[in-house]
């Protein structure tokens, strides 16, 4: 495993779980996990209720963007679709609300694993909401209806919901794919990025076929045949004729027979007879979702997300086996996660994962308990760190390994972000750390409170030495009036909390 | 504990401050001398058009019958009517070679002899996957077996030429691309904001990250060092806050490179990513916008650093071209061979290089423009002629010996 910044001493598996299966320690969450133990805590996390929990709903009701409460979170697809219009004043509003809700759920949600997994799948099935008016208007429904309810469910169900979501249809162009020259965008990324993985392309990893034979990976011909199967998978946009002959304009998924390529196709060794209609695409999804190469690809990505950038083959094997053993289980993905978390490799991986900018910021809100406001200031800050939330243009999604986030710009922006979040003038955080800090007389007291309050893992010696020294600076908390003048104290504590957020120990999970 | 910590921290702090001091004290002239040591070496700027730029919509034989039959006029370079392409004399075949009018500023550079195209070039591998093709091209290899853990071609070349100055290798983006992997490249997405927002943080971060032997420790130290170098160079050579190149993100990246060239930091190589070229649908509008940005950006950048053009080579490439026949979505799917652009004061421009087999069915590779020139042949010539590279077997392993096309000249 790559050494990102491991803690100096062994840590209990509960601390790893708190870092990986949640968006970082929060005092109440840590207490709950430590009290009931990992198995019971995980059981509850793997079985979240539908919709948002009471804590999230309470917070969402308080949020305002541009002076208005969030009004589109429960809007139906037709109402969202009506905003896919360059003249609609609220055309960006559903996306802004989806972004804000992701932060609120990440910080306050009781079912943290659901948030972690929703983020994982939204990135796996990346859609750039700003590709066009239609993706902007319907991204919220993609998150809410396709991904979120299935994030711990069955992969085939998730895959089908994604393939039929309006946002994906407009992101990877399948909505306009028609006979006789099908658009290959969706079919290619379906195989390369959503299911089989690039390692199965053009004769590398052999792949088994439905007849039991093995083929040397999938080819461009398979991509083109699959693209033909998906012609007619489109959205009711007023121009497409549905199977019942109607032309509606609701934005909902429809199968449109007039543009479907009715010829017979062969792909991945599977013969698809002519005139199969919508069932052709369903058959392609069936084959892909049940494929052992898909199991391996998904298992690898999940282990990379939850264990290490370069996860040991032994834990990937276990996760892939769980995927194949539960193909028809409605909680298939939960079973894969369970297999990963209870593997010995998981317990040996503290500090092997770097927080991406979203995880860094959300974990900072959780660790500090600081009041904060979602909105464009927050979105712009995190975008400036390279994390284009819901807007990453390329279908491969944002990196889930450390290297791309640790270049000079990546490091600089994560350090500066900590100071921006604690500076009320930036319009994101509204800290009052003086009120949170137990009565203190020296900078050492303040460090001794805030370091353990914020860090998931034990601090290393260099960072401990550095933070005491930093806190003792005259311009932080070392001045004679640092604990008697309320303004000096608050400003000093803001610098201190920002500095803890900037240290190596806070960058890892 | 606090007692002991102060002592050690102070020592680290002093070490950190001393290092920053040395860098700050280093006058620009010293660094210029370092760079001047390799005066024959051009600044090499590599622009990567992410997504698969449709070369047949940028530079094409407008009167080719197969071409005309394969696409609607909106996805073609045309030879007449509104928006007709601009004539490019000295094409690779006796046809009406033209440049998409949206990229008109490139026509002037072509005519003045500073810009050349190489057509039917690309990756000698079958892949039509964006990510695999980009990975192979940036690593300078042709088979996926060589991909695991391999560094980038440009990074290997730069390392081979010895330790570069602190800001000698720059990615004008938030991340460092694969092509620079393995080199001490610095990512500077914007010159104006490449600074710590809290001055007090610098010595603290130096102490916290400085001596730690893991990924974060190394990354943190490299970042603090780059920040100190950059601030010193910028203080010694203040740059205009107005970007003369333009306002797009591509223009902003070009402006970062121009400023570094003007600041005399000893820039050796820089990379820019320009994305959005994956035009599976609605290609006409998207491609026109992107090509406009490409032409205007390159020309304005070139004008901004005109005084240094004799020591500058710009290469523009993409992971693959797009299929000859368009699809039913008003777009084009992934293809193969493509056009590369080479710009600089020592470019033998005003010509389209590369073997052109035509666009007839038998000439195509699975329906796509074939690759008649390995893209590495073009890069190898530039490294040899303009950057003083010797043996390139470590940079482009397995590249078959091929005569240089003569795209660039010495001097």
């Amino acid at each position: 495993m790559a050494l990102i910044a491991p803690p100096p001493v062994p840590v209990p598996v509960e601390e790893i779980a708190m870092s990986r299966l949640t968006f970082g320690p929060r005092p109440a969450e840590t207490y709950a996990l430590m009290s009931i133990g990992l198995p019971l805590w995980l059981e509850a996390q793997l079985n979240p209720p539908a919709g948002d929990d009471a804590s999230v709903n309470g917070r969402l009701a308080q949020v305002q963007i541009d002076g208005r409460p969030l009004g589109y979170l429960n809007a139906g697809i037709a109402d969202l679709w009506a905003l896919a219009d360059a003249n609609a004043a609220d055309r960006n509003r559903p996306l802004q609300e989806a972004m804000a809700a992701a932060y609120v759920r990440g910080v306050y949600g009781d079912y943290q694993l659901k948030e972690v997994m929703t983020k994982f799948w939204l990135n796996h099935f990346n859609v750039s909401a700003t590709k066009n008016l239609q993706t902007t208007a319907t991204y919220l429904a993609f998150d809410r209806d396709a991904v979120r309810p299935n994030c711990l469910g069955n992969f085939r169900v998730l895959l089908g919901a994604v393939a039929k979501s309006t946002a994906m249809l407009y992101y990877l162009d399948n909505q306009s794919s028609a006979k006789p020259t099908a658009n290959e965008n969706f079919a290619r990324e379906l195989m390369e990025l959503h299911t089989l993985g690039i390692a199965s392309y053009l004769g590398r990893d052999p792949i088994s076929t439905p007849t039991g034979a093995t083929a040397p990976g999938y080819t461009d011909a398979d991509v083109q045949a699959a693209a033909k199967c998906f012609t007619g998978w489109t959205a009711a946009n007023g121009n497409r004729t549905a199977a019942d002959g109607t032309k509606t304009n609701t934005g909902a998924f429809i199968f449109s027979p007039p543009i479907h390529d009715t010829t017979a196709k062969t792909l991945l060794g599977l013969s698809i007879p002519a005139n199969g209609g919508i069932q052709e695409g369903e058959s392609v999804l069936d084959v892909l979702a049940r494929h052992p190469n898909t199991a391996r690809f998904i298992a690898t990505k999940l282990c990379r997300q939850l264990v290490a950038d370069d996860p040991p083959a032994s834990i990937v094997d276990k996760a892939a086996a769980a995927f194949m053993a539960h193909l028809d289980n409605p909680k298939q993905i939960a079973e894969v996660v369970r297999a990963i978390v209870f593997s010995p490799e998981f317990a040996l991986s503290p500090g092997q994962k770097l927080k991406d900018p979203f995880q860094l910021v959300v974990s900072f809100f959780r660790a500090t308990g600081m009041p904060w406001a979602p909105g464009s200031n927050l979105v712009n800050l995190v975008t400036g760190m390279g994390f284009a939330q819901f807007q990453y243009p390329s279908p491969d999604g944002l990196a889930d390994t450390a290297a791309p986030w640790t270049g000079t710009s990546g490091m600089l922006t994560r350090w500066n972000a900590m100071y921006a979040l604690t500076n009320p003038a930036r319009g994101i955080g509204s800290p009052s750390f003086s009120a949170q800090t137990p009565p203190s007389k020296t900078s050492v007291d303040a460090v001794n409170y805030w370091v353990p309050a914020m860090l998931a893992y034990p601090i290393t010696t260099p960072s401990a030495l550095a933070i005491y020294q930093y806190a003792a600076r005259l311009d932080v908390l070392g001045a004679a009036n640092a604990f008697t003048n309320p303004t000096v104290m608050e400003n000093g504590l803001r610098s201190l909390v920002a500095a803890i957020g900037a240290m190596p120990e806070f960058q890892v999970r | 504990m606090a007692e002991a910590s102060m002592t050690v921290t102070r020592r680290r702090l002093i070490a950190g401050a001393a290092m920053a001091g040395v860098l700050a004290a280093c006058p620009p002239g010293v660094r210029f001398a370092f760079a001047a040591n390799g005066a024959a070496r051009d600044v090499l700027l590599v622009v990567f058009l992410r997504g698969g730029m449709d070369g047949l919509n940028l530079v094409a034989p407008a009167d080719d019958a197969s071409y005309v039959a394969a696409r609607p006029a909106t996805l073609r370079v045309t030879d007449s009517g509104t928006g007709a392409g601009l004539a490019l004399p000295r094409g690779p075949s006796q046809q009406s070679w033209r440049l998409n009018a949206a990229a008109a500023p490139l026509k002037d550079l072509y005519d003045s002899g500073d810009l050349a195209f190489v057509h039917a070039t690309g990756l000698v591998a079958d892949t039509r996957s964006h990510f695999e093709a980009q990975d192979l091209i940036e690593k300078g290899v042709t088979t996926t077996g060589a991909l695991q853990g391999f560094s980038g071609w440009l990074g290997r070349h730069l390392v081979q030429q010895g330790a570069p100055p602190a800001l000698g290798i720059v990615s004008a983006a938030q991340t460092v691309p694969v092509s620079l992997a393995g080199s001490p490249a610095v990512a500077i997405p914007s010159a104006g904001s490449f600074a710590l927002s809290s001055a007090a943080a610098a010595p603290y971060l130096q102490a916290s990250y400085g001596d730690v032997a893991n990924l974060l420790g190394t990354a943190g130290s490299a970042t603090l060092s780059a920040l100190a170098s950059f601030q010193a160079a910028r203080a010694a050579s203040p740059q205009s806050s107005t970007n003369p190149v333009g306002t797009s993100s591509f223009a902003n990246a070009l402006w970062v490179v121009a400023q570094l060239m003007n600041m005399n930091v000893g820039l050796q190589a820089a990379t820019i990513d320009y994305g959005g070229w994956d035009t599976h649908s609605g290609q006409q509008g998207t491609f026109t916008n992107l090509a406009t940005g490409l032409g205007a950006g390159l020309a304005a950048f070139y004008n901004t650093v005109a005084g240094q053009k004799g020591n500058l080579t710009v290469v523009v490439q993409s992971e693959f071209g797009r299929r000859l026949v368009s699809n039913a979505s008003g777009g084009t799917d992934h293809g193969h061979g493509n056009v590369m652009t080479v710009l600089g004061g020592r470019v033998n421009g005003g010509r389209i290089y590369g073997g052109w087999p035509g666009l007839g069915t038998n000439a195509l590779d699975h329906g796509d423009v074939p690759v008649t020139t390995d893209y590495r042949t073009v890069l190898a010539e530039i490294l040899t002629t303009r950057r003083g590279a010797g043996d390139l077997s470590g940079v482009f392993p397995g590249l078959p010996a091929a005569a240089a096309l003569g795209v660039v000249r010495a001097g």
Side-chain angles (χ1 to χ4, degrees):
Chain A
M1 295 183 195
L3 294 173
I4 291 173
V9 293
V11 300
V13 69
E14 287 81 6
E15 289 188 13
I16 303 171
M18 188 54 60
S19 284
R20 301 271 172 73
L21 310 181
T22 83
F23 280 105
R26 194 166 62 127
E29 193 81 56
T30 309
Y31 180 77
L33 172 53
M34 291 300 183
S35 319
I36 66 173
L38 181 58
L40 275 178
W41 180 86
L42 182 64
E43 207 51 42
Q45 291 289 319
L46 290 175
N47 294 286
D52 286 319
D53 60 63
S55 334
V56 167
N57 278 325
R59 296 283 182 169
L60 287 175
Q62 303 298 316
V63 171
Q64 299 216 332
I65 297 177
D66 299 335
R68 294 157 58 195
L70 307 185
Y72 287 103
L73 293 181
N74 298 309
I77 184 71
D79 291 336
L80 295 171
W81 183 249
L83 300 176
D85 179 333
N87 297 316
D90 268 3
R91 67 184 183 280
N92 293 319
R93 184 82 192 181
L95 176 59
Q96 291 167 342
E97 295 191 5
M99 290 172 159
Y103 278 98
V104 170
R105 290 168 177 140
V107 177
Y108 301 112
D110 291 335
Y111 293 90
Q112 284 280 298
L113 182 56
K114 176 172 156 183
E115 302 309 323
V116 167
M117 292 300 292
T118 296
K119 176 173 178 288
F120 170 81
W121 291 119
L122 286 173
N123 197 52
H124 177 79
F125 294 111
N126 184 61
V127 165
S128 175
T130 42
K131 171 161 173 161
N132 51 47
L133 290 165
Q134 292 83 4
T135 53
T136 304
T138 63
Y139 190 91
L140 187 150
F142 172 62
D143 174 340
R144 180 192 63 200
D145 303 336
V147 174
R148 188 164 280 279
N150 298 308
C151 71
L152 288 160
N154 181 276
F155 182 75
R156 172 63 180 86
V157 175
L158 171 64
L159 186 66
V162 166
K164 292 177 179 172
S165 69
T166 311
M168 184 60 85
L169 288 166
Y170 271 85
Y171 174 58
L172 290 182
D173 299 315
N174 209 75
Q175 65 85 16
S176 66
S177 185
K179 68 176 182 184
T181 43
N183 187 313
E184 296 167 21
N185 202 6
F186 173 70
R188 180 177 297 278
E189 307 308 2
L190 171 69
M191 291 187 190
E192 177 174 336
L193 300 174
H194 299 170
T195 59
L196 298 171
I198 189 66
S200 298
Y201 178 50
L202 291 184
R204 281 182 291 285
D205 287 3
I207 71 174
S208 61
T209 67
T211 57
T214 58
Y218 72 91
T219 65
D220 293 312
D222 291 324
V223 169
Q224 285 155 15
K228 289 180 180 176
C229 292
F230 285 108
T231 51
W233 286 48
T234 187
N237 60 13
N239 298 318
R240 297 296 187 201
T241 306
D244 62 5
T246 60
K247 279 188 185 181
T248 55
N249 192 16
T250 63
F253 170 81
I254 55 166
F255 177 72
S256 180
I259 56 172
H260 179 66
D261 184 322
T262 57
T263 60
K265 299 103 181 165
T266 303
L267 71 149
L268 301 171
L270 176 75
S271 289
I272 295 181
N275 298 309
I278 188 175
Q279 191 52 44
E280 295 177 7
E282 300 284 3
S283 299
V284 173
L285 296 182
D286 286 343
V287 169
L288 294 173
R290 303 180 76 86
H291 205 288
N293 293 40
T294 298
R296 180 134 207 106
F297 182 60
I298 300 295
T300 303
K301 284 194 74 170
L302 274 170
C303 290
R304 189 177 296 134
Q305 174 67 210
L306 297 175
V307 184
D309 286 2
D310 191 11
S314 53
I315 194 168
V316 175
D317 289 345
K318 279 175 257 191
F323 187 102
M324 290 306 289
H326 294 276
L327 284 174
D328 298 310
N329 185 336
K331 300 290 294 180
Q332 178 191 18
I333 298 164
E335 293 305 323
V336 179
V337 172
R338 191 198 308 276
I340 293 170
V341 174
F342 288 130
S343 294
E345 295 89 341
F346 180 79
L348 293 172
S349 66
Q352 295 299 337
K353 288 298 297 181
L354 185 84
K355 294 173 183 171
D356 66 30
F358 181 87
Q359 291 162 337
L360 178 69
V361 168
V362 171
S363 70
F364 188 79
F365 291 147
R366 286 171 64 80
T368 60
M370 177 180 76
W372 57 279
S376 57
N377 292 328
L378 178 58
V379 169
N380 292 341
L381 179 81
V382 178
T383 302
M385 299 166 77
F387 191 96
Q389 185 193 13
F390 303 161
Q391 298 170 72
Y392 185 68
S394 172
D396 55 338
L398 285 152
D400 60 356
T401 53
W405 300 108
T406 49
T408 53
S409 178
M411 295 307 297
L412 172 65
T413 52
R414 69 176 54 219
W415 293 334
N416 282 347
M418 299 295 99
Y419 287 86
L421 292 175
T422 51
N423 177 1
R426 294 294 296 268
I428 302 169
S430 316
S432 49
F433 295 136
S434 313
Q436 285 179 255
T437 312
S440 303
K441 290 196 177 65
T442 67
S443 63
V444 173
D445 295 341
V447 171
N448 287 348
Y449 170 73
W450 279 103
V451 165
M454 289 178 64
L455 297 187
Y457 300 129
I459 193 168
T460 61
T461 307
S463 292
L465 302 179
I467 196 66
Y468 282 116
Q469 177 75 20
Y470 178 79
R473 285 177 62 108
L474 286 176
D475 56 358
V476 182
L477 288 166
N481 63 350
F483 292 91
T484 53
N485 180 316
T487 306
V488 175
M489 181 176 172
E490 180 61 28
N491 287 338
L493 287 169
R494 286 174 187 169
S495 290
L496 172 63
V497 170
I500 297 170
M503 72 168 55
E505 285 81 347
F506 197 75
Q507 312 309 308
V508 297
R509 59 186 178 93
Chain B
M1 181 179 170
E3 201 62 24
S5 70
M6 300 267 182
T7 321
V8 179
T9 307
R10 193 170 295 122
R11 200 180 305 135
R12 285 166 198 275
L13 196 64
I14 291 163
M19 196 171 96
V22 167
L23 289 164
C26 178
V30 171
R31 257 168 282 175
F32 184 71
F34 195 143
N37 192 24
R41 293 174 187 171
D42 274 9
V43 172
L44 176 56
L45 168 60
V46 178
V47 177
F48 207 109
L49 307 179
R50 307 269 171 195
M53 189 274 288
D54 186 13
L56 287 175
N57 205 0
L58 186 71
V59 173
D63 58 347
D64 185 289
S66 303
Y67 180 61
V68 172
R71 298 170 166 216
T74 50
L75 302 186
R76 270 191 283 123
V77 184
T78 52
D79 57 2
S80 62
T82 313
L86 310 169
L88 296 174
R90 293 170 296 281
S93 63
Q94 298 298 316
Q95 291 173 294
S96 177
W97 283 85
R98 287 174 182 259
L99 170 72
N100 190 311
L106 300 185
K107 158 79 172 161
D108 297 335
L109 294 167
Y110 184 90
D111 289 343
S112 71
D114 284 2
L115 185 142
F117 294 110
V118 187
H119 224 311
T121 182
L123 184 64
V124 187
D126 282 338
T127 187
R128 263 78 168 165
S129 153
H130 295 294
F131 311 106
E132 191 172 62
Q134 290 177 21
D135 220 19
L136 289 167
I137 286 177
E138 295 191 75
K139 288 176 176 171
V141 296
T142 55
T143 55
T144 50
L147 282 175
Q148 200 70 29
F150 212 63
S151 58
W153 70 267
L154 186 51
R156 288 196 299 278
H157 160 70
L158 292 161
V159 167
Q160 205 174 62
Q161 291 202 324
L167 300 170
I169 307 173
V170 171
S171 162
Q174 284 166 324
T175 57
V176 172
V178 172
S179 63
L180 286 174
S183 76
V186 174
I188 305 179
S190 154
S193 56
F194 196 63
L196 282 169
S197 59
S198 163
Y204 159 70
L205 293 167
Q206 184 66 44
S208 188
Y209 284 81
D211 292 339
V212 183
N214 58 38
L215 186 150
L216 270 177
T218 306
S221 303
T223 302
L224 291 165
S225 165
L227 288 167
S229 301
F230 184 81
Q231 290 309 318
R234 198 170 158 86
S237 175
Q239 299 294 307
S240 160
S241 58
T242 311
N243 181 351
V245 181
T247 56
S248 66
S249 55
F250 179 51
N252 286 336
L254 288 163
W255 177 222
V256 169
V257 178
Q259 287 176 90
L260 287 162
M261 290 178 71
N262 293 334
M263 281 158 59
N264 286 328
V265 295
L267 187 67
Q268 299 295 301
T271 58
I272 290 177
D273 284 340
Y274 183 14
W277 300 87
D278 193 20
T279 48
H280 286 276
S281 70
Q283 175 167 317
Q284 185 191 8
T286 307
F287 190 89
T288 300
N289 289 340
L290 290 167
T292 302
L294 180 68
L298 283 179
F301 165 76
Y302 199 61
N303 188 43
T304 303
V305 296
Q308 302 175 64
K309 74 175 197 175
N311 280 101
L312 169 70
T313 300
V314 184
V315 176
V316 184
Q317 65 177 150
S318 188
E319 67 262 37
F320 46 60
R322 305 190 78 85
R323 189 158 310 151
L324 171 62
V325 178
S326 60
N327 64 29
S329 307
T332 50
D333 292 310
H334 300 187
H336 196 45
N338 205 359
V339 66
M340 278 172 92
T341 305
V342 186
L343 168 66
R346 298 293 182 270
V347 170
N348 297 318
R351 257 192 76 180
I352 303 172
Y353 293 82
W356 184 254
L359 294 171
T361 307
N362 291 335
L364 300 178
D365 179 328
H366 295 83
D368 307 327
V369 174
V371 170
T372 61
T373 302
D374 187 328
Y375 75 99
R376 298 177 300 172
T377 307
V378 180
L379 298 176
E381 182 192 340
I382 292 167
L383 294 185
T384 303
T385 308
R386 300 306 310 163
R387 295 226 6 110
D391 179 13
L392 286 171
S393 60
V395 177
F396 295 121
L399 176 64
L405 297 176
V407 179
V408 291
R409 61 183 179 274

